[in-house]
Amino acid sequence: MQRPVRWGILGAAKFARQYMAPAIHAAEGAQLVALATSSPEKAEPFQAFCPDLNVYDDYDALLADPRIDAVYVPLPNHLHVEWSLKAMAAGKHLLCEKPMTMRAAEFDQLIAKRDETGVLAAEAYMIVHHPQWQMVRRLIDEGAIGKLAHVSGKFSYDNRTDMGNIRNKAETGGGGLRDIGVYVFGGARYATGQEPDEISARIRWENGVDTLTEVQAQFPGFSYSAYVSIRMHPYQEMVFHGETGVIRLTAPFNARVFGEARVELHRAGLEVQVTRFPGDDHYKLQVEAFGRSVRDGVDYPCPLEFSRGTQVMIDRVLEVATPL
């Protein structure tokens, strides 16, 4: 039996505590061994389910630990590039929260460092590991809905009562586009394998942070529309509309949290075929896929080049957007 990939986490972020640390702990072929945080009390919830966790008060000390094979980085957005580069320079495989960079050009130095060090480095874009998205990609490729005509994406939540949140601060890379735009953009790109030719957008700004963004785009084979907001009632949906059918995802981005993941296949005669995914944990599946790539050299489903393409789309939206 192969030795598990031993993980360390840089920072005791709420998201790491609630989702990724438990996923690493539960994943087959993975072992959570270390956490770095400047606040010892923040380590206690992690130690509650992982009692043998080594806790460091310094990020560099964790990176220097030879026992650690891979590092997960859930730090605020503006720190991602700095600590991703440091982790790779330390010889650690790297999984960094999205958005991995603030601009697409910053991916170039990450890709160069990955190639120089030979480690596996990836953005934590978990949805591509969920079987619902793999099913959608297959259905489109097989022509289950005929020629694809239009794709639409919607993702919103409301955090106006938490103005201290990093997502509400421009200086920490906040805003809806970087936080959740990656999903409506990357989901369309992943499922179709296409990149947008033309983009137009409108953005509502609040204290330097985008709180509502509406996007229209033209891909080579279909039109596209989407919105993301951090000031609207929670909602999410992706729809792929073809000439002979429709694919709809009811919980495309926060499966099990927003609701049960379902793929609806609408066909002629108002026939609807529903496939449910009640128990799949895309965070755990992400860790296991990462481990297979580290141990066995299996191609990783979401390389840095794919994540760079999503950031290119975000950059273009920011460049062309008019005020809303």
Side-chain angles (χ1 to χ4, degrees):
M1 183 177 179
Q2 290 181 305
R3 180 175 63 80
V5 175
R6 297 169 298 187
W7 286 82
I9 299 177
L10 296 186
K14 178 181 177 181
F15 184 84
R17 181 179 75 244
Q18 290 185 331
Y19 298 107
M20 279 302 297
I24 294 170
H25 186 61
E28 182 178 347
Q31 182 181 5
L32 179 58
V33 299
L35 170 71
T37 175
S38 58
S39 303
E41 65 275 9
K42 290 185 178 181
E44 293 175 3
F46 294 81
Q47 292 171 312
F49 62 85
C50 190
D52 297 330
L53 191 69
N54 295 292
V55 179
Y56 294 92
D57 60 6
D58 180 81
Y59 295 163
D60 288 304
L62 185 149
L63 294 181
D65 188 338
R67 297 171 298 174
I68 296 171
D69 305 308
V71 170
Y72 168 62
V73 179
L75 299 170
N77 296 343
H78 68 298
L79 299 175
H80 287 175
V81 172
E82 174 188 355
W83 285 99
S84 291
L85 290 171
K86 287 182 177 181
M88 287 188 282
K92 310 301 184 186
H93 300 290
L94 168 73
L95 186 65
C96 178
E97 262 312 317
K98 52 77 196 160
M100 201 167 183
T101 73
M102 294 293 97
R103 290 287 178 178
E106 293 179 299
F107 267 102
D108 297 338
Q109 58 183 317
L110 296 177
I111 291 170
K113 180 61 72 173
R114 176 202 65 187
D115 294 346
E116 173 193 332
T117 58
V119 300
L120 172 61
E123 185 179 57
Y125 195 64
M126 74 291 185
I127 68 170
V128 302
H129 304 280
H130 198 290
Q132 68 172 337
W133 278 99
Q134 295 159 11
M135 179 182 183
V136 169
R137 191 177 190 178
R138 184 179 69 254
L139 288 173
I140 293 172
D141 188 57
E142 293 172 352
I145 57 172
K147 185 178 183 299
L148 185 61
H150 185 76
V151 176
S152 63
K154 306 169 184 177
F155 197 2
S156 63
Y157 64 92
D158 191 347
N159 71 350
R160 75 185 73 205
T161 61
D162 187 13
M163 296 307 293
N165 191 293
I166 59 172
R167 294 164 186 82
N168 279 318
K169 296 181 178 181
E171 63 270 22
T172 55
L177 270 175
R178 291 190 172 104
D179 188 39
I180 55 180
V182 293
Y183 295 117
V184 295
F185 297 165
R189 295 178 56 249
Y190 175 77
T192 66
Q194 294 193 28
E195 305 291 347
D197 292 325
E198 303 172 9
I199 295 177
S200 62
R202 299 193 303 165
I203 296 180
R204 180 173 297 157
W205 296 94
E206 181 181 316
N207 299 321
V209 169
D210 58 290
T211 59
L212 171 61
T213 300
E214 299 174 349
V215 178
Q216 303 287 327
Q218 186 63 49
F219 285 69
F222 58 90
S223 58
Y224 172 87
S225 62
Y227 67 77
V228 295
S229 177
I230 56 174
R231 294 291 186 272
M232 293 170 63
H233 182 77
Y235 188 72
Q236 57 185 261
E237 179 186 59
M238 284 291 291
V239 176
F240 299 84
H241 201 146
E243 293 181 348
T244 61
V246 171
I247 299 170
R248 176 175 177 261
L249 289 83
T250 61
F253 313 124
N254 292 123
R256 301 198 309 167
V257 176
F258 182 74
E260 181 186 64
R262 300 195 307 272
V263 175
E264 300 175 356
L265 178 58
H266 298 245
R267 288 178 162 171
L270 300 181
E271 174 193 351
V272 181
Q273 174 186 322
V274 181
T275 304
R276 292 178 165 82
F277 303 87
D280 293 283
D281 181 344
H282 46 201
Y283 301 114
K284 178 173 174 286
L285 293 171
Q286 175 179 241
V287 174
E288 291 173 347
F290 194 94
R292 287 191 294 271
S293 294
V294 168
R295 292 190 305 270
D296 307 324
V298 177
D299 287 342
Y300 193 67
C302 188
L304 292 181
E305 288 79 1
F306 174 84
S307 296
R308 188 187 193 283
T310 299
Q311 189 61 49
V312 166
M313 193 169 175
I314 292 174
D315 289 355
R316 290 178 62 187
V317 168
L318 289 169
E319 289 165 5
V320 305
T322 57
L324 179 62

